[in-house]
Amino acid sequence: MAKYNKTKKYGSLFMATALLTGVLAGCGTDDSGSSSSGGSGSGNTVGDVIKIGANLELSGGVASYGSSINDGAKLAIEEINAAGGIDGKKLEYIPVDNKSETAEATSAAMKLAEQEKVVAMLAPATSGNSVATVQIAGQHKVPMVTGSGTAPNVTVNDDGTVNEYAFRTCFIDPFQGTVAANFATNEIGAKNVAIFADNASDYAKGLAASFKETITANGGTVVAEEAYVAKDVDFKSQLTNIKGKNPDFIFIPGYYEEVGLIVKQAREAGITAPLMGADGWDSPTLIDLAGADALNNTFITNHYSSEDPDAKIQDFVKAFNDKYSKSPNAFHALGYDSIYFIVDAIKRVDGDITGEAVQKQLAATKDLSLVTGTFTVDENHNPVKSATVLEFVDGKQQFNSKVNP
């Protein structure tokens, strides 16, 4: 059963994680006609138009993420333009498909910065593609905001330096891993756990590392660690090894394409233990791959829940459903919030609206109330905000609890 309106506070753990990490998750304008306003020219603002770009996975392996972010962003753009835009200037939204590929993401960033001359852009949905575009954003002084790139090195380099023009509206991987471990300990009562992670993904490795550190600190034991890589389809051998260790909880950080098959094969192998992942599970395709029954007794950390009774969330859910005739997932909400984050910064610019001016205001953001939480941007360009734990029940996500920083 889902547990509603239950709030846990792990503030000290979030801050400790943030301190330890020092900070995560063919080019061409989209043919869907999603640009929300007309306009032409080469400047950041041209006449009555302000250009905002989007470098997203609209096709390819993780298109579910990018397409969801795009849908949320388009709704935000339409709302803002319907309300008069920014000081009478309309927003022109320019989405570019990076095809879920790093090289294409780099090309898309170049196109948006050099040809379209956007004032800011949504960065790719995945951490790897976002990292590939950071240098371009800095060189052209065009701020980028990722809605779901949760890896710490999107905004902070390994040497601790901050990527000045990179921001995010999602929390970082170490926080998700910590939340998952505390949930396993405090809510499930897990003592012996297994970790099954994509060892070729920075996203999955970061989550696995923070989960392992926290579960061990909580007195738990990692009895099995297995690995897979993207595009694998047969996980029976690893799952057999995990089952032999009899864990009472299994953490599976990764993306929905592989996770759906892992969950299905785990249940077929007779594994009944609770399974848990993070926001990379959040796709309708997961249910298609795993099956609703197999997903029972599984959980994820995520950025919001459409079932959260908060009035701001329910207003968004209604507006999204009115436009798309479906309930919005977390990626929809993050795309929506990313546009409002950028627009809030633009509104605070005193003088010419340039990428450099917008960057300064993004970094200065405090107590901004959005759908996925109220947040302040920290010194590492990460939002300090809540996480949500969701439970799958008969193929549907249900709100379980909220974890406040």
Side-chain angles (χ1 to χ4, degrees):
M1 293 293 291
K3 294 167 277 186
Y4 293 88
N5 300 324
K6 181 166 64 176
T7 300
K8 299 290 182 183
K9 295 189 177 181
Y10 299 121
S12 60
L13 287 169
F14 172 78
M15 294 306 296
T17 300
L19 290 170
L20 285 170
T21 61
V23 272
L24 104 347
C27 293
T29 304
D30 181 20
D31 293 329
S32 64
S34 55
S35 182
S36 299
S37 173
S40 62
S42 60
N44 296 137
T45 60
V46 180
D48 293 330
V49 172
I50 299 172
K51 291 185 174 184
I52 296 177
N55 178 356
L56 294 170
E57 295 82 346
L58 302 178
S59 64
V62 291
S64 176
Y65 301 149
S67 296
S68 293
I69 288 172
N70 191 47
D71 284 347
K74 288 190 293 183
L75 175 60
I77 293 286
E78 289 180 6
E79 289 180 349
I80 294 162
N81 281 339
I86 301 175
D87 294 331
K89 297 183 188 299
K90 296 292 186 177
L91 301 179
E92 181 181 357
Y93 179 60
I94 306 171
V96 178
D97 183 10
N98 65 39
K99 301 180 180 178
S100 301
E101 297 176 7
T102 300
E104 293 287 348
T106 301
S107 297
M110 293 286 286
K111 175 182 174 68
L112 290 169
E114 295 182 351
Q115 297 179 32
E116 300 293 350
K117 297 190 180 297
V118 298
V119 72
M121 57 184 159
L122 300 190
T126 66
S127 296
N129 287 341
S130 288
V131 169
T133 65
V134 166
Q135 186 175 4
I136 295 168
Q139 288 174 343
H140 292 82
K141 296 186 176 180
V142 177
M144 52 176 268
V145 177
T146 178
S148 53
T150 49
N153 64 340
V154 171
T155 58
V156 178
N157 298 310
D158 292 339
D159 63 3
T161 58
V162 176
N163 289 317
E164 187 177 3
Y165 281 82
F167 296 84
R168 71 178 107 227
T169 49
C170 53
F171 39 66
I172 61 175
D173 287 339
F175 183 41
Q176 288 198 88
T178 297
V179 169
N182 283 322
F183 181 82
T185 301
N186 299 328
E187 303 303 321
I188 303 298
K191 299 294 185 182
N192 299 310
V193 306
I195 300 172
F196 190 15
D198 180 351
N199 68 357
S201 163
D202 289 341
Y203 166 78
K205 288 189 291 186
L207 282 162
S210 58
F211 176 87
K212 182 177 181 179
E213 180 179 356
T214 304
I215 203 78
T216 302
N218 289 349
T221 301
V222 178
V223 296
E225 289 186 75
E226 294 289 336
Y228 66 92
V229 296
K231 308 302 181 185
D232 281 353
V233 295
D234 186 348
F235 307 94
K236 295 182 181 64
S237 176
Q238 299 100 312
L239 290 169
T240 297
N241 293 339
I242 289 172
K243 184 180 180 181
K245 299 295 185 179
N246 196 32
D248 47 29
F249 185 93
I250 304 173
F251 186 54
I252 313 173
Y255 296 132
Y256 64 89
E257 285 187 305
E258 291 78 31
V259 168
L261 297 176
I262 290 172
V263 172
K264 177 180 174 63
Q265 292 173 27
R267 297 313 192 204
E268 290 174 345
I271 295 174
T272 60
L275 313 177
M276 189 168 190
D279 56 346
W281 286 35
D282 191 15
S283 170
T285 306
L286 176 76
I287 300 167
D288 295 337
L289 292 171
D293 288 344
L295 282 166
N296 285 330
N297 201 26
T298 70
F299 306 84
I300 60 172
T301 54
N302 215 338
H303 305 269
Y304 109 122
S305 168
S306 62
E307 292 190 351
D308 190 318
D310 182 272
K312 192 175 189 72
I313 291 176
Q314 290 309 309
D315 287 345
F316 163 70
V317 170
K318 182 180 185 305
F320 189 92
N321 187 63
D322 287 346
K323 179 174 174 60
Y324 296 109
S325 299
K326 61 183 178 181
S327 180
N329 62 31
F331 290 89
H332 294 129
L334 289 164
Y336 182 87
D337 278 359
S338 294
I339 292 294
Y340 273 101
F341 176 39
I342 290 170
V343 168
D344 176 74
I346 293 173
K347 288 180 176 179
R348 289 186 277 112
V349 170
D350 184 13
D352 292 339
I353 299 173
T354 65
E356 191 171 7
V358 174
Q359 185 276 340
K360 291 178 181 178
Q361 295 304 324
L362 287 171
T365 299
K366 292 183 179 180
D367 299 324
L368 178 61
S369 179
L370 298 174
V371 170
T372 59
T374 297
F375 74 79
T376 294
V377 174
D378 69 13
E379 67 277 10
N380 294 317
H381 293 184
N382 299 317
V384 180
K385 66 175 189 178
S386 301
T388 297
V389 175
L390 304 176
E391 179 179 0
F392 283 94
V393 178
D394 296 330
K396 296 181 179 180
Q397 294 180 1
Q398 292 192 3
F399 178 71
N400 182 284
S401 56
K402 184 174 285 186
V403 182
N404 293 324

